Amino acid sequence: RKLRQEDLALLSGVNVRSIRAYEQGKNDIAKAQGDTLQMLAKALDCTIEELLNWNKLYKGFAPLHKQ
């Protein structure tokens, strides 16, 4: 299932503008605050390591499109 940025913002508590910036590569998610990484990983049901590895593999934060 696709997860919209707005849905991830609601689930995680992370500002939708930040999520957009991570996904578009404007902000480096690897430099995000630890609590932001924790909130995103929890909402996406993955570990912080998986979140950061996804970013390395796909050149931008895009787990929003995870099936």
Side-chain angles (χ1 to χ4, degrees):
R1 107 181 199 259
K2 288 190 179 185
L3 186 62
R4 297 179 319 131
Q5 294 169 343
E6 293 81 4
D7 296 332
L8 181 57
L10 288 173
L11 287 170
S12 67
V14 175
N15 184 298
V16 71
R17 293 171 80 189
S18 296
I19 291 170
R20 284 189 184 122
Y22 294 134
E23 186 179 56
Q24 295 170 357
K26 293 179 181 177
N27 290 351
D28 184 357
I29 195 165
K31 295 180 181 176
Q33 296 289 322
D35 59 336
T36 299
L37 293 172
Q38 278 187 315
M39 292 187 299
L40 288 169
K42 183 176 179 181
L44 292 166
D45 193 29
C46 68
T47 66
I48 291 173
E49 183 176 280
E50 290 169 327
L51 186 63
L52 295 176
N53 284 335
W54 183 282
N55 186 55
K56 288 177 192 172
L57 288 172
Y58 297 101
K59 304 287 188 218
F61 174 74
L64 306 178
H65 305 293
K66 180 170 112 172
Q67 296 292 327

